[in-house]
Amino acid sequence: MASESRKATITIGLRLTPIEHQLVLDAASAAGVGPSTLAREAVLARANAPLPPRRRKRDGLRVEVGRWAGEAAKLGNNLNQLARHANTGGRVDAAALDALQAEIRALHEAVLTAAGSSG
């Protein structure tokens, strides 16, 4: 973990034309990094400053896995709320339970589909 003095916490704004913006996005994509990393490296190189270690941009599958993890957490939270309500003597709406089950199935299918297309 980086020390407090080495964490990048300050931002600098940059105005670009739409064409310049697309060129930066294309160059960053070709380099496998995000546009902020590309710009930071260019500015630091121009300032003769040492470049920080480069972290590769997450590929499509990693982005999807991150999204799925977030969705799974939301679904788990919903299930916990329904369970808490039921355990305190409340009535759980069958439609809410069915909707949650449908969302879980949809997420499961999305993961299986992606796993089948990547393998």
Side-chain angles (χ1 to χ4, degrees):
M1 179 183 276
S3 70
E4 284 297 315
S5 64
R6 294 186 49 103
K7 287 184 183 177
T9 59
I10 298 172
T11 61
I12 296 176
L14 177 66
R15 294 185 187 272
L16 300 170
T17 67
I19 292 171
E20 291 168 337
H21 181 248
Q22 189 59 54
L23 289 170
V24 169
L25 292 178
D26 292 346
S29 178
V33 297
S36 293
T37 298
L38 185 76
R40 182 177 185 206
E41 288 177 354
V43 169
L44 290 174
R46 180 67 182 213
N48 294 319
L51 298 180
R54 180 184 271 192
R55 290 188 297 182
R56 302 287 295 172
K57 187 175 180 181
R58 295 190 311 167
D59 64 15
L61 181 58
R62 288 178 189 242
V63 170
E64 283 299 301
V65 168
R67 189 180 65 77
W68 296 330
E71 288 298 315
K74 289 178 191 175
L75 295 175
N77 185 43
N78 290 346
L79 180 58
N80 283 339
Q81 289 176 356
L82 289 174
R84 184 179 309 118
H85 183 69
N87 287 332
T88 58
R91 184 176 180 284
V92 174
D93 181 36
L97 199 53
D98 289 343
L100 180 59
Q101 188 175 23
E103 289 181 51
I104 291 169
R105 281 193 180 122
L107 178 59
H108 183 249
E109 286 300 316
V111 171
L112 290 179
T113 299
S117 67
S118 68

